[in-house]
């Protein structure tokens, strides 16, 4: 199998199950024109996030890693009228592109973009008394995944969902001798999750238009 085959299969199901969406298409175009890296979730992955949020009945969502707001839009569309999504972005240019995309999508009233290093932003959210959140989407620097997960757990309720993207690293996650900081970060995160008795978790490999990767999902099983 090849990435060409994976992409064709993604396209088949996307064309069949996801109607053409001018807002999302315009978001990806704006991201490309602004020079953002092409690392957004794929459309079918975005829809999966949206379905997770719907199934969860999420009213409050925290996203760590905004980029241009493509995944943010998918998540925010699942919120009720009184819902709230906070998304954290370290890059000012990315944040500005995302802000415009969210305005164009008519979702800026539901979404707050926090600019700055994610760990600093999380400390500020903690100081302001935010949480618990119903759903977390962690998709930022992999070196800090364990710290992001712990913060999410500390600001969860029983039943909160913690989704972490890009945990397979093209299969390199199994390389015990790796010196890649992202691989080391994911391995440390996975060991952290495995040792945490208050969550039930799994991880799935994915292939598709974005290549070979995967995500982890944990549900909080006890009151924090």
């Amino acid at each position: 199998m090849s990435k060409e085959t994976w992409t064709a299969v993604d396209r088949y199901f996307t064309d069949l199950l996801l109607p053409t969406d001018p807002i999302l298409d315009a978001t990806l175009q704006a991201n490309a024109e602004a020079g953002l890296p092409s690392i957004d979730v794929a459309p079918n992955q975005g829809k999966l996030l949206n379905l997770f949020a719907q199934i969860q009945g999420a009213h409050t969502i925290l996203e760590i890693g905004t980029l241009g707001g493509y995944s943010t839009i998918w998540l925010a569309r699942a919120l009720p009228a009184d819902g709230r999504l906070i998304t954290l972005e370290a890059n000012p240019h990315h944040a500005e592109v995302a802000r415009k995309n969210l305005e164009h999508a008519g979702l800026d009233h539901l979404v707050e973009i926090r600019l700055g290093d994610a760990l600093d932003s999380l400390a500020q959210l903690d100081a302001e008394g935010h949480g618990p959140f119903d759903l977390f989407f962690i998709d930022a620097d992999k070196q800090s995944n364990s710290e992001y997960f712990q913060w999410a757990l500390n600001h969860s309720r029983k039943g909160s969902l913690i989704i972490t993207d890009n945990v397979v690293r093209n299969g390199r996650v199994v390389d015990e001798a790796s010196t890649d900081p992202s691989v080391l970060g994911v391995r440390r995160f996975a060991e952290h999750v495995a040792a945490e008795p208050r969550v039930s978790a799994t991880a799935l490999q994915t292939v598709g238009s974005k290549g070979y990767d995967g995500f982890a999902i944990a549900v909080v099983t006890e009151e924090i």
Side-chain angles (χ1 to χ4, degrees), residues 49-50 52-54 56-64 71-80 83-88 110-112 125 130 132-138 151 161 163:
L49 291 174
N50 178 273
F52 274 138
Q54 289 189 57
Q56 176 71 345
H59 278 69
T60 55
I61 298 175
L62 178 68
E63 178 183 49
I64 304 177
S71 58
T72 318
I73 291 172
W74 275 112
L75 287 166
R77 282 180 168 181
L79 288 171
R84 191 69 175 161
L85 188 156
I86 298 175
T87 182
L88 312 182
L110 293 175
V111 179
E112 178 186 357
L125 290 175
H130 286 276
F133 292 89
D134 300 318
L135 186 149
F136 301 84
F137 181 47
I138 300 172
W151 194 97
L161 208 56
I163 304 166

Side-chain angles (χ1 to χ4, degrees), residues 16 29 31 40 49 59 62 66 84 98 108 117 122 154 157 162 176 185 194 203 205 215:
L16 197 62
Q29 183 177 346
N31 291 353
D40 310 274
L49 291 174
H59 278 69
L62 178 68
T66 314
R84 191 69 175 161
D108 49 308
D117 177 84
L122 291 174
N154 291 344
R157 57 167 177 79
I162 306 172
E176 296 180 0
Q205 301 176 77
F215 64 93

Side-chain angles (χ1 to χ4, degrees), residues 175-184:
D175 182 2
E176 296 180 0
S178 177
T179 58
D180 183 329
S182 293
V183 172
L184 293 174

Side-chain angles (χ1 to χ4, degrees), residues 142 145 166-167 169 173 182-190:
K142 310 312 167 188
N145 268 3
N166 306 128
V167 299
R169 315 304 303 167
V173 69
S182 293
V183 172
L184 293 174
V186 169
R187 288 177 63 89
R188 187 169 61 251
F189 155 77

Side-chain angles (χ1 to χ4, degrees), residues 24-181:
L24 290 168
D25 291 345
T27 297
L28 292 178
Q29 183 177 346
N31 291 353
E33 291 175 353
L36 272 59
S38 180
I39 55 174
D40 310 274
V41 299
N44 53 344
Q45 294 168 341
K47 183 59 179 288
L48 181 62
L49 291 174
N50 178 273
L51 291 174
F52 274 138
Q54 289 189 57
I55 293 166
Q56 176 71 345
H59 278 69
T60 55
I61 298 175
L62 178 68
E63 178 183 49
I64 304 177
T66 314
L67 194 61
Y70 183 74
S71 58
T72 318
I73 291 172
W74 275 112
L75 287 166
R77 282 180 168 181
L79 288 171
D82 60 345
R84 191 69 175 161
L85 188 156
I86 298 175
T87 182
L88 312 182
E89 177 54 51
N91 186 302
H93 177 55
H94 295 177
E96 182 57 30
V97 173
R99 188 170 289 108
K100 292 177 180 177
N101 285 334
L102 288 161
E103 289 175 358
H104 184 232
L107 294 168
D108 49 308
H109 64 293
L110 293 175
V111 179
E112 178 186 357
I113 301 173
R114 295 273 183 130
L115 178 62
D117 177 84
L119 292 175
D120 292 340
S121 294
L122 291 174
Q124 184 62 37
L125 290 175
D126 188 38
E128 294 171 8
H130 286 276
F133 292 89
D134 300 318
L135 186 149
F136 301 84
F137 181 47
I138 300 172
D139 189 16
D141 63 296
K142 310 312 167 188
Q143 299 94 311
S144 300
N145 268 3
S146 188
E147 288 81 2
Y148 298 150
F149 172 78
Q150 186 61 51
W151 194 97
L153 182 61
N154 291 344
H155 296 78
S156 290
R157 57 167 177 79
K158 184 177 181 180
S160 289
L161 208 56
I162 306 172
I163 304 166
T164 306
D165 203 10
N166 306 128
V167 299
V168 172
R169 315 304 303 167
N170 203 34
R172 296 193 302 274
V173 69
V174 298
D175 182 2
E176 296 180 0
S178 177
T179 58
D180 183 329

